[in-house]
Amino acid sequence: MGESEGAEIVSSAAYERRYGAGREPSSLSMEQISEMFYEFLSAVAHPRRKEDDDRRNLTRRLREHLGSAPTDRPVVKAAYPPYDLPNVHLALERWFAADGRSYELIGMRGAQHHGELTLGDILESADRYDRFTIGAVDYAHLPISPDEELACVSCGFYLGTDGEERFAVLLRGPADEYGRNKVEIEVLAQEKEFADRLLADLDAIVREHNVFRGQVLSFEGSQFGHGLGPFRFHRRPGLTREDIVLPTGLLERVERQVVGVARRREQLRAVGQHLRRGLLLYGPPGTGKTHTIRYLLSHLPQFTAVILSGTSIEAIGPACALARMLQPALVVLEDCDLIAEARDYGNGEQPLLFQVLNEMDGLGDDADVAFLLTTNRADLLEPALVQRPGRVDLAVEIPLPDAEGRAALLALYGTHLGLGEDIAAEVVTRTEGTTASFTKELVRRSVLIAAERESARTEPADVREALDELLSDRDRLTRRLLGVRTGDEDEEDWPADDDEEEVHSGPPSGEWLLGPRPGRAPGVPPR
């Protein structure tokens, strides 16, 4: 017999000798055969790229830079909260800016869910199956101030040199769409000690040059329903004493508790007194609790302020961690009665309440952190705070304005109207029991009525018409929304609305306190 077109033709006897029952046994074990079969299937499923694609070979590029196989080197990694990507990105740039250091930045392409893999997994997949290749660097544009954004590397390899040391750093930011809720940095170096030092240097830079220091921030929830989104930055208010109308001596007490401790911190520390403090502002809606906090923010420009409102109070843990790192700091908890209810008012235990109290207590007495809490329902908070004493050092009621206060509010909000003494006295008399929010709306509506009749001046008749409307039966709900209680209403009937002019149905955290993000209307989601 012979051969035909590459096929060998053998006799029955030869076939029996090769493949029959009497053939010699294979020297390979079943495990070896299984591994070879697996490699065969893998090679079929993930064929090697053509030679002209070698320039995209990630393993080869890393080997050329490192001078050895990347899989032979130890990997050391560190993780940061998802909002810290700008800080880590800038820390890497600062570190590489030192003399004798340089880097080349390359990107990576491959499986969409690479966030679930470690650097070791990525290197193995790139080496054996060409699953990952060199590609474009991924960037995320994130805010670092109210008016500035930064293009941060969200997935990229830094091929670095430090003198004779050659190493690689993989930086990956959060990917909410895939459930990756952290910033991770992994270092591939010849010696583990070098990687440890590099990560320690980066951490020190993050703390020293943190972009959040001295800013007014609020947390934003993830659009994918889990984890924390990026921070929102707010412009710091610029209120003066003339912008605040409170009973005599009340603002001084609040200032001493918050601003005074900050001003005298060294003297307090010298005699062993603690700096951590808690201030609770309580009272009916619309009386000026939020306005008072704006004033405090205005007079503590060096403080980092983190604002949590409503359901975003669940981020109390990250907020306190940030406050601890960036102290002196303020942590503002708006409408904290929404979560800090006595257990007999809600559906069993309120775990978030105890988390808030534990975080307040866990900072330590020497932490220069002030907690500012506001509530319309002090009766709901009192039982819980009494059970855990020491978290709040001062509780101040912001009451409904008296006649003198209402006159001052009318002068403040209507300063450009030129109202005479007679109409001002009439308004003060007729608005007994109303709030600052009510007075503010009264002035705005009076100006609008004048404008509607094409008048540049607001007359007493316009003010009377606006006041008649607001006090009419048809505006009964409006008065409630402005914080005005009528005599036939019990406290339990009151909605837990905010201090400002209207009930909010849930804009992002911080918007109630400081207004919408620059360039965006209230309650409008980001693009």
Side-chain angles (χ1 to χ4, degrees):
M1 296 288 185
E3 295 183 358
S4 176
E5 297 182 359
E8 182 183 5
I9 302 175
V10 299
S11 65
S12 298
Y15 182 87
E16 183 66 24
R17 286 195 303 271
R18 292 186 189 181
Y19 307 110
R23 72 185 186 280
E24 294 183 5
S26 172
S27 60
L28 299 175
S29 67
M30 288 301 299
E31 289 77 10
Q32 290 173 310
I33 295 173
S34 175
E35 184 176 349
M36 292 174 64
F37 186 64
Y38 176 79
E39 290 180 356
F40 165 74
L41 293 178
S42 298
V44 172
H46 304 282
R48 285 282 185 179
R49 296 183 182 274
K50 297 178 181 179
E51 289 300 321
D52 57 2
D53 281 343
D54 279 349
R55 55 190 173 81
R56 300 182 58 198
N57 188 303
L58 179 62
T59 303
R60 177 172 297 183
R61 183 69 186 87
L62 289 173
R63 184 184 295 112
E64 290 173 353
H65 173 72
L66 298 172
S68 63
T71 52
D72 294 340
R73 297 199 172 199
V75 176
V76 183
K77 64 181 178 180
Y80 289 85
Y83 49 78
D84 258 334
L85 181 57
N87 286 313
V88 177
H89 168 89
L90 290 173
L92 272 169
E93 289 196 343
R94 285 181 180 273
W95 190 89
F96 276 114
D99 291 340
R101 295 171 181 167
S102 64
Y103 71 90
E104 177 189 354
L105 185 60
I106 63 173
M108 177 176 65
R109 284 291 175 267
Q112 290 182 325
H113 297 272
H114 63 73
E116 301 173 0
L117 303 177
T118 66
L119 177 54
D121 296 331
I122 291 173
L123 294 176
E124 182 179 2
S125 296
D127 184 42
R128 297 187 64 179
Y129 314 122
D130 254 1
R131 185 179 175 188
F132 294 99
T133 60
I134 296 173
V137 178
D138 290 339
Y139 290 90
H141 289 261
L142 299 173
I144 57 173
S145 76
D147 303 304
E148 185 180 2
E149 285 191 344
L150 177 69
C152 303
V153 174
S154 60
C155 183
F157 275 98
Y158 292 76
L159 306 183
T161 60
D162 183 8
E164 298 299 320
E165 187 73 35
R166 304 178 73 82
F167 57 95
V169 177
L170 174 60
L171 173 61
R172 286 181 289 175
D176 289 348
E177 61 270 36
Y178 303 128
R180 179 182 175 82
N181 196 34
K182 61 182 175 180
V183 176
E184 197 164 53
I185 182 167
E186 298 174 86
V187 182
L188 188 68
Q190 183 70 39
E191 301 293 339
K192 178 179 179 297
E193 290 73 18
F194 175 86
D196 289 335
R197 289 195 304 273
L198 191 158
L199 292 177
D201 290 347
L202 291 178
D203 193 62
I205 296 173
V206 166
R207 292 175 179 274
E208 182 180 358
H209 299 282
N210 200 291
V211 297
F212 305 137
R213 191 179 303 279
Q215 300 276 9
V216 181
L217 314 161
S218 63
F219 280 105
E220 215 172 55
S222 166
Q223 61 179 319
F224 295 95
H226 47 72
L228 295 170
F231 277 127
R232 288 187 55 201
F233 290 77
H234 306 272
R235 293 187 179 90
R236 193 174 293 270
L239 300 181
T240 66
R241 277 180 172 264
E242 288 70 30
D243 299 316
I244 302 293
V245 176
L246 292 174
T248 303
L250 193 150
L251 184 58
E252 287 73 16
R253 293 181 64 205
V254 171
E255 271 195 289
R256 183 179 60 193
Q257 176 72 2
V258 181
V259 183
V261 171
R263 187 183 300 122
R264 306 296 182 185
R265 65 169 66 91
E266 297 307 324
Q267 294 169 258
L268 290 168
R269 278 175 171 156
V271 293
Q273 299 302 304
H274 65 85
L275 301 181
R276 189 201 63 200
R277 60 267 196 207
L279 170 67
L280 173 65
L281 300 179
Y282 68 95
T287 52
K289 299 184 292 295
T290 295
H291 205 56
T292 303
I293 290 182
R294 288 196 186 106
Y295 172 81
L296 295 173
L297 289 174
S298 302
H299 290 264
L300 293 169
Q302 76 278 22
F303 272 58
T304 303
V306 183
I307 303 165
L308 303 176
S309 181
T311 56
S312 72
I313 294 178
E314 67 186 11
I316 184 64
C320 287
L322 195 69
R324 183 186 297 109
M325 181 172 65
L326 302 180
Q327 56 182 293
L330 301 174
V331 178
V332 180
L333 305 177
E334 280 260 283
D335 295 321
C336 55
D337 50 281
L338 296 180
I339 58 99
E341 294 184 354
R343 281 169 287 177
D344 55 343
Y345 275 77
N347 300 319
E349 286 190 344
Q350 298 283 335
L352 191 52
L353 162 64
F354 295 105
Q355 183 183 353
V356 168
L357 298 179
N358 288 338
E359 291 290 348
M360 292 174 69
D361 195 46
L363 283 175
D365 289 341
D366 61 336
D368 192 359
V369 177
F371 289 87
L372 309 181
L373 292 74
T374 71
T375 181
N376 301 329
R377 297 291 304 274
D379 57 307
L380 297 181
L381 268 68
E382 183 178 358
L385 294 176
V386 167
Q387 292 175 22
R388 305 287 291 274
R391 275 65 173 181
V392 172
D393 311 299
L394 178 64
V396 176
E397 180 182 11
I398 309 295
L400 291 170
D402 57 13
E404 182 181 351
R406 296 195 300 278
L409 288 168
L410 186 62
L412 175 65
Y413 296 134
T415 184
H416 300 296
L417 300 187
L419 299 177
E421 292 183 5
D422 291 343
I423 185 62
E426 179 184 337
V427 170
V428 169
T429 300
R430 294 182 62 189
T431 55
E432 183 178 359
T434 61
T435 63
S437 297
F438 181 94
T439 304
K440 192 173 184 179
E441 173 57 21
L442 170 63
V443 171
R444 188 193 68 87
R445 193 174 297 195
S446 300
V447 174
L448 179 60
I449 290 173
E452 286 290 303
R453 61 180 182 82
E454 305 298 337
S455 174
R457 176 179 172 79
T458 303
E459 302 291 345
D462 302 317
V463 178
R464 290 190 180 97
E465 182 179 346
L467 186 56
D468 289 341
E469 281 187 6
L470 285 169
L471 295 178
S472 66
D473 287 343
R474 65 182 181 181
D475 268 12
R476 183 174 181 272
L477 179 57
T478 299
R479 291 196 300 278
R480 285 178 58 115
L481 300 182
L482 294 173
V484 181
R485 192 193 327 184
T486 58
D488 59 344
E489 293 170 327
D490 295 326
E491 190 170 338
E492 301 85 57
D493 299 331
W494 275 80
D497 48 334
D498 187 60
D499 282 10
E500 297 307 310
E501 294 80 41
E502 58 187 3
V503 168
H504 299 265
S505 58
S509 172
E511 198 162 285
W512 300 0
L513 180 64
L514 294 164
R517 182 186 306 178
R520 183 162 69 85
V524 176
R527 295 176 181 176

